[in-house]
Amino acid sequence: DAEITQSPRHKITETGRQVTLACHQTWNHNNMFWYRQDLGHGLRLIHYSYGVQDTNKGEVSDGYSVSRSNTEDLPLTLESAASSQTSVYFCASSVDRNTDTQYFGPGTRLTVL
Amino acid sequence: AQSVAQPEDQVNVAEGNPLTVKCTYSVSGNPYLFWYVQYPNRGLQFLLKYITGDNLVKGSYGFEAEFNKSQTSFHLKKPSALVSDSALYFCAVRDSRDSSYKLIFGSGTRLLVRP
């Protein structure tokens, strides 16, 4: 079955380290998204991509970057991890950007010490 | 700017009773509205959406939602709650005039169904 996976599921890192969270989908969706989930804020959009070589900033993009070299993967990189980036990160994908039914991965819980 | 509000942090209901989880929105164009559910330690699962047409939308697990343009609301409902419905529910909106096609999520409402 087609699916969307994230790895690792849990990560503990130290302040200042570079961290990369993986997202892989086998639906062949053009559109992929990264969100962070924090108490009281719901989901906030970090970055998104509407196809290979396309990346766009969301509302909370500072300190994060993404690259899209193929359809299946959208890795999220924290250039220099900060304690404020401790959160649960969700990747999502969709086939139709207009009607936007997004399908979510299981999430990565990141702790920055 | 588009926004969505879920005014209740938590909704408590007894099993077998009807439930309502509230959502209101603000957009400049036509709204595209969505409900998602999140179970503990899981990603969000799509429940239902309103794009156009009938104001009453039926979705997964017996849930439905009613689009009310005059009240700018999209409340989630179920006639008879189950204990297994206990989860975190998110409303989301996209503005048809937003060329970036971004979804904006509410802060979530925790539904607790007691036996």
Side-chain angles (χ1 to χ4, degrees), chain B residues 3-4 7 10 24 37-38 51 62 67-68 79 89 94:
Chain B
S3 65
V4 59
Q10 183 162 313
T24 59
V37 60
Q38 184 181 30
I51 302 300
F67 170 61
N68 188 316
Y89 290 81
R94 187 174 80 70

Side-chain angles (χ1 to χ4, degrees), chain A residues 6-13 21 88 107-111, chain B residues 41:
Chain A
Q6 294 183 235
S7 62
R9 294 295 310 278
H10 302 272
K11 175 78 176 177
I12 300 175
T13 191
L21 308 182
V88 181
T108 294
R109 184 175 296 275
L110 177 66
T111 302
Chain B
N41 300 313

Side-chain angles (χ1 to χ4, degrees), chain B residues 55-76:
Chain B
N55 289 344
L56 184 64
V57 179
K58 294 187 182 297
S60 306
Y61 312 120
F63 284 94
E64 59 188 27
E66 186 168 12
F67 170 61
N68 188 316
K69 187 172 183 178
S70 63
Q71 296 186 5
T72 62
S73 67
F74 190 58
H75 301 331
L76 181 70

